[in-house]
Amino acid sequence: MEGQKKRLAVLVGCNYPNTGNELHGCINDVLAMKETLVKRFGFDDNDIEVLTDAPNSCKLPTGANIKQALAKLVDGSEAGDVLYFHYSGHGTRIPSKKHGHHFHHEEAIVPCDFNLITDLDFRQLVNRLAKGASLTILSDSCHSGGLIDKEKEQVGPSSSLQKGPISKTTNTLTHKTIPYDSILHHLSSQTKATTTDIGTHMLELFGSDASLRFQTVSHALLEALGPDEGILLSGCQADETSADMNPGAGGGKAYGAFSNAVEMVLREKEGGLSNREVVVRARKVLQGQGFEQHPCLYCSDENADATFLCQPQKTEQ
């Protein structure tokens, strides 16, 4: 239809199979979200790119492949486009060199090849959006709060929090984090450099595909430009971990706690939900299930109360 704007998505699930960092529910998370995007939010199956590290995957979720998919998503954007990125996998924190940084760390996601994608990379992506297009990021990973650098907190650490009870689930819970020291050890084992500077190892291994965090770039490219159309729904606060649940021998599918909570929230209410409502309701779901992670929302004031993924209104037949 002439004038109809695009609804495009990139979905990434990393289970890190046959490694010491193996997770179980991340691929299930993004496949479930793909179905939801098509059935509820009007996305076309052909406009959703899925990257997983499942056996026989045609395109692995390496750092370069993820950034290439996101660049295609953003650089082709036009006013009114609804863009969505869902990530389920490990996250980490990098010691910050920025004076006065709140947590003294910067947030990153961990692609299957450990080519970290950082909060600065997501900031630059948002800065490249066409005026009037929106980019919603849902990151079901540890330390995901603040994953878009300098995005305004709407629901986060300064919000009133009530801790839920300790989880009594019999399922196997894995925290979706790889400690910084483990990442540094993994990278340094593959390079000839003897330094403890992670940037040196990243640049030697990945070159121009390494995060902007480790390259010399203009600071102007990485500054927030005022209220923007970046929207981050994070599975937890920057100093918290997110859970990967594996029912194991008990049967049932493995899942990420936050991704599953969002799916539950969307099933419970048919009509449109604001970004704020999705996060607040997901918090309540997780609290009721006994999890001690607190989803957060980072975006402009206007987008906090905008409808999640601009859910199309149903037309009367």
Side-chain angles (χ1 to χ4, degrees):
M1 183 185 300
E2 187 176 352
Q4 186 175 8
K5 299 306 179 183
K6 300 186 293 293
R7 304 175 72 79
L8 309 173
V10 173
L11 312 179
V12 174
C14 293
N15 276 348
Y16 316 90
N18 304 313
T19 73
N21 304 302
E22 187 166 11
L23 298 172
H24 296 89
C26 301
I27 294 174
N28 291 338
D29 291 340
V30 297
L31 294 180
M33 180 53 72
K34 180 180 180 181
E35 184 176 354
T36 298
L37 292 177
V38 172
K39 291 184 176 179
R40 176 163 182 158
F41 292 99
F43 285 68
D44 188 295
D45 187 82
N46 295 321
D47 291 330
I48 301 173
E49 184 170 4
V50 179
L51 286 75
T52 75
D53 53 6
N56 303 318
S57 175
C58 61
K59 193 172 186 180
L60 289 172
T62 63
N65 284 345
I66 294 170
K67 287 195 285 189
Q68 183 183 52
L70 290 174
K72 180 181 177 182
L73 195 73
V74 167
D75 293 338
S77 62
E78 300 174 310
D81 287 353
V82 176
L83 312 179
Y84 181 63
F85 173 54
H86 190 120
Y87 172 76
S88 186
H90 279 302
T92 194
R93 294 197 294 177
I94 306 165
S96 176
K97 296 180 180 179
K98 293 187 286 188
H99 178 70
H101 197 270
H102 183 61
F103 286 114
H104 309 294
H105 290 86
E106 295 173 20
E107 297 75 41
I109 62 173
V110 186
C112 66
D113 62 347
F114 279 55
N115 184 4
L116 304 180
I117 302 176
T118 71
D119 55 350
L120 294 183
D121 299 307
F122 288 112
R123 162 48 54 199
Q124 199 216 28
L125 274 172
V126 171
N127 287 355
R128 282 157 47 190
L129 271 175
K131 184 176 176 60
S134 66
L135 172 61
T136 299
I137 297 172
L138 190 153
S139 189
D140 189 353
S141 56
C142 291
H143 314 302
S144 47
L147 197 56
I148 303 176
D149 190 47
K150 299 182 178 68
E151 199 65 64
K152 183 177 180 180
E153 175 195 314
Q154 298 290 343
V155 180
S158 62
S159 304
S160 175
L161 301 178
Q162 287 187 320
K163 293 284 187 180
I166 299 298
S167 177
K168 297 180 180 178
T169 178
T170 57
N171 293 345
T172 301
L173 181 155
T174 304
H175 296 293
K176 301 169 86 168
T177 184
I178 302 178
Y180 170 78
D181 288 345
S182 297
I183 289 175
L184 181 60
H185 176 75
H186 173 82
L187 296 173
S188 61
S189 70
Q190 299 184 54
T191 69
K192 298 177 181 179
T194 57
T195 179
T196 58
D197 175 50
I198 192 172
T200 300
H201 299 293
M202 294 290 293
L203 290 170
E204 181 175 332
L205 285 170
F206 304 113
S208 60
D209 287 327
S211 168
L212 294 171
R213 162 77 166 75
F214 310 113
Q215 303 195 40
T216 302
V217 295
S218 169
H219 288 291
L221 293 175
L222 305 176
E223 290 297 318
L225 306 176
D228 57 45
E229 300 303 318
I231 303 165
L232 170 66
L233 292 79
S234 66
C236 60
Q237 297 173 183
D239 60 346
E240 291 181 332
T241 58
S242 292
D244 179 73
M245 303 302 297
N246 182 18
K253 287 186 177 181
Y255 60 88
F258 179 52
S259 293
N260 183 64
V262 170
E263 291 282 356
M264 289 178 64
V265 166
L266 294 175
R267 285 196 297 268
E268 286 170 1
K269 191 173 187 300
E270 277 196 22
L273 290 162
S274 71
N275 291 304
R276 187 191 306 276
E277 286 177 308
V278 170
V279 170
V280 170
R281 287 173 182 240
R283 275 193 174 200
K284 291 179 180 178
V285 168
L286 290 171
Q287 178 178 317
Q289 294 173 336
F291 292 101
E292 293 190 314
Q293 65 188 75
H294 299 88
C296 302
L297 174 66
Y298 295 84
C299 61
S300 67
D301 294 341
E302 183 178 359
N303 279 331
D305 296 311
T307 306
F308 178 62
L309 294 182
C310 302
Q311 180 174 340
Q313 293 184 348
K314 289 187 177 180
T315 56
E316 297 294 334
Q317 297 294 325

